[in-house]
Structure formats: C-alpha cells, structure tokens
Amino acid sequence: SGNQQAKPRLTEEEKRQNHIASEKKRRDAIRAGFDSLCDIVPTMKGQGRSEAVVLGKTVEFVELQLAFQESLKEIALSNGWSEDKFKQFYLDAEKESKEKQKTTAAGQAR
C-alpha cells in the first residue's frame, strides 16, 4: 500500500523488554491460577503453596467431588429419579452455584 508508512523495526533491547514483559504476564497468570486453586480446595486454605502440592490436592479434591456426585446420582436413581432428571438437577445446581460465586466475587471487588 503506497501511502502506509513502514513500521520501524524493534531494537534488540525493545524485543528483550517485550519478551520480559510477556514472560512476567505469563508467570502472573499461572500464579493467579494457583492462588484460585488454593482458594477453592478446602485442604489448601492457609497453607504454603508448592505448585506440586497444590496440583496433588486439587486432583484429590476433584476425585472426591466426582465420587460425591456419583453417590448423589445413586441416591437419586434409587428414589425413582431418571438419569435425565438427575443430570438436569445437577446442571441447575451447578449454574446456581456459579451465579452465587459471581455475586460473591462482585461484592468482594467493591
């Protein structure tokens, strides 16, 4: 395009600074994710934060939640609920829980 000016190339120092900034942003995002896991996983509250420990405790917590869901499903089915009714109930409860979390987070941000 004839009337577009060519962008000046970045200097090596500018490239290095951009790389440093993007790497810091990446590390901060990972740290924030681990912080969120520590807030969610009950056995992590108030503990130090080795990333390996956080991941291990998170796996344990997710496995426990899946087993709990399966137990609820067995109880519901033994009480005459259909699989579809249970799935819908669980999805509705999940949606309600997420909405409560958003409300709580919005309240804390103020």
Side-chain angles (χ1 to χ4, degrees), residues 2-110:
N3 53 354
Q4 275 189 343
Q5 293 181 345
K7 283 187 175 180
R9 291 187 167 231
L10 296 178
T11 65
E12 288 305 313
E13 180 59 20
E14 289 170 328
K15 287 179 189 177
R16 190 175 80 78
Q17 290 303 321
N18 285 348
H19 175 72
I20 289 169
S22 63
E23 184 61 20
K24 181 183 182 322
K25 187 176 179 181
R26 184 190 71 80
R27 284 191 315 270
D28 289 347
I30 291 170
R31 190 171 297 116
F34 275 95
D35 289 344
S36 292
L37 287 175
C38 287
D39 291 341
I40 293 169
V41 178
T43 55
M44 289 304 306
K45 290 196 187 332
Q47 289 196 13
R49 203 194 60 129
S50 151
E51 291 177 354
V53 170
V54 172
L55 290 175
K57 297 278 187 184
T58 300
V59 168
E60 288 174 13
F61 180 68
V62 169
E63 288 173 342
L64 183 66
Q65 295 305 304
L66 292 172
F68 180 67
Q69 178 185 2
E70 194 58 36
S71 295
L72 286 177
K73 181 178 174 182
E74 289 172 15
I75 292 167
L77 295 178
S78 70
N79 282 291
W81 285 33
S82 68
E83 288 242 5
D84 287 342
K85 182 177 179 179
F86 176 77
K87 283 180 188 174
Q88 190 58 54
F89 170 79
Y90 205 84
L91 290 172
D92 291 345
E94 204 172 54
K95 183 178 177 184
E96 186 176 319
S97 176
K98 286 179 183 176
E99 288 170 1
K100 283 181 184 177
Q101 285 176 341
K102 286 180 188 175
T103 303
T104 301
Q108 290 174 348
R110 291 181 191 167

